[in-house]
């Protein structure tokens, strides 16, 4: 019986890098769940890889069909951006385990949908100063940097990943990304023991 691994952490904590490396390794086999978003695609992203990119009409259609497991909406300086997870035939927990990048709020909704025993949290943490520098470097590399949005995300993380919210979600294990290889080794061991 498979599980869904929910990889979580504040922005620029290394989630994307860790996610890609975990999907490539052979010690624990998991398939990815690609979430959906209505935000604009960033330089270097591909539809169906990081996200399924859609618009508000596409979101409303999936919502109306009862396919949306969880959704978050962010009112940005660039408009309303939605991030959401869709229940579809691609997820078969009888066949294998899956992994996705998500938020604490989404993790809790995914637990409600699939059952707490089928969802495994992996919370990644990193020093705020390092995260802020990474976010700035990433934004500078964009064709049209959106620094205000970068700052909004950084500040929102303080609330979204507050100690109280982490505790309410029942997450006790954390993985510190001070050294990427050590962090990957620790997460891999954790996954081997739990899925």
């Amino acid at each position: 019986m498979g599980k869904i691994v929910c990889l979580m952490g504040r922005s620029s904590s290394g989630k994307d890098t860790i996610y890609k490396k975990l999907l490539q390794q052979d010690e624990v086999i998991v398939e990815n769940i690609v979430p959906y978003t209505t935000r604009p695609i960033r330089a270097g992203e591909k539809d169906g890889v990081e996200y399924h990119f859609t618009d508000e009409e596409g979101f409303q259609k999936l919502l109306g069909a009862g396919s949306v497991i969880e959704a978050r909406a962010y009112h940005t300086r660039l408009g309303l951006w939605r991030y959401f997870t869709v229940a579809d035939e691609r997820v078969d927990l009888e066949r294998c385990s899956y992994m996705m990048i998500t938020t604490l709020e989404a993790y809790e909704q995914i637990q409600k949908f699939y059952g707490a025993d089928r969802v495994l949290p992996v919370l990644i943490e990193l020093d705020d100063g390092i995260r802020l520098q990474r976010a700035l470097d990433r934004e500078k590399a964009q064709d049209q940097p959106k620094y205000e949005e970068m700052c909004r995300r950084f500040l929102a993380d303080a609330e979204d990943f507050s100690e109280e919210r982490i505790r309410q979600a029942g997450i006790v294990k954390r993985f510190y990304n001070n050294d990427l290889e050590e962090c990957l080794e620790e997460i891999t061991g954790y996954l081997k023991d739990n899925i």
Side-chain angles (χ1 to χ4, degrees):
M1 210 158 62
K3 291 193 178 183
I4 295 176
V5 177
C6 288
L7 197 62
M8 298 169 279
R10 293 173 173 89
S11 60
S12 301
S13 60
K15 297 182 303 290
D16 290 330
T17 300
I18 289 170
Y19 178 76
K20 288 172 185 172
K21 288 190 176 285
L22 287 171
L23 287 174
Q24 292 171 351
Q25 53 89 28
D26 296 326
E27 292 183 58
V28 179
I29 304 299
V30 291
E31 292 187 14
N32 66 326
I33 295 175
V34 179
Y36 287 68
T37 187
T38 61
R39 78 152 166 77
I41 193 166
R42 292 180 183 149
E45 290 181 327
K46 292 183 178 150
D47 187 38
V49 178
E50 291 84 7
Y51 291 97
H52 294 290
F53 292 92
T54 188
D55 56 15
E56 184 64 21
E57 183 180 332
F59 169 74
Q60 292 299 333
K61 186 176 178 182
L62 289 165
L63 186 65
S67 299
V68 177
I69 296 172
E70 60 80 28
R72 291 139 353 256
Y74 300 97
H75 297 277
T76 75
R77 305 267 301 155
L78 303 167
L80 177 67
W81 290 357
R82 296 186 190 275
Y83 294 82
F84 54 103
T85 306
V86 172
D88 60 28
E89 69 284 348
R90 289 177 271 198
V91 176
D92 179 2
L93 292 175
E94 298 306 317
R95 185 177 63 82
C96 66
S97 291
Y98 297 85
M99 183 170 50
M100 64 186 298
I101 297 174
T102 192
T103 64
L104 273 175
E105 180 183 352
Y107 160 71
E108 291 175 310
Q109 293 302 313
I110 291 164
Q111 269 192 320
K112 285 179 187 174
F113 186 85
Y114 288 105
D117 61 325
R118 304 299 291 272
V119 182
L120 186 64
V122 174
L123 179 61
I124 299 168
E125 296 201 339
L126 183 65
D127 173 77
D128 285 345
I130 297 170
R131 288 191 315 103
L132 186 56
Q133 186 61 58
R134 284 183 181 178
L136 183 59
D137 292 343
R138 180 174 68 190
E139 206 57 43
K140 280 182 183 178
Q142 299 298 310
D143 291 336
Q144 296 180 340
K146 297 173 180 74
Y147 297 114
E148 288 181 14
E149 176 56 23
M150 179 201 78
C151 291
R152 184 207 61 79
R153 284 194 317 265
F154 189 84
L155 294 172
D157 280 343
E159 182 179 335
D160 294 344
F161 287 94
S162 69
E163 288 302 317
E164 181 180 347
R165 285 196 173 176
I166 292 169
R167 196 169 36 258
Q168 286 173 349
I171 296 174
V172 293
K173 178 83 175 138
R174 301 176 193 210
F175 301 89
Y176 296 91
N177 189 16
N178 299 322
D179 178 280
L180 178 60
E181 293 309 315
E182 286 180 16
C183 187
L184 281 167
E185 187 176 320
E186 187 180 359
I187 292 171
T188 300
Y190 177 70
L191 296 180
K192 284 169 70 174
D193 291 343
N194 289 283
I195 61 174

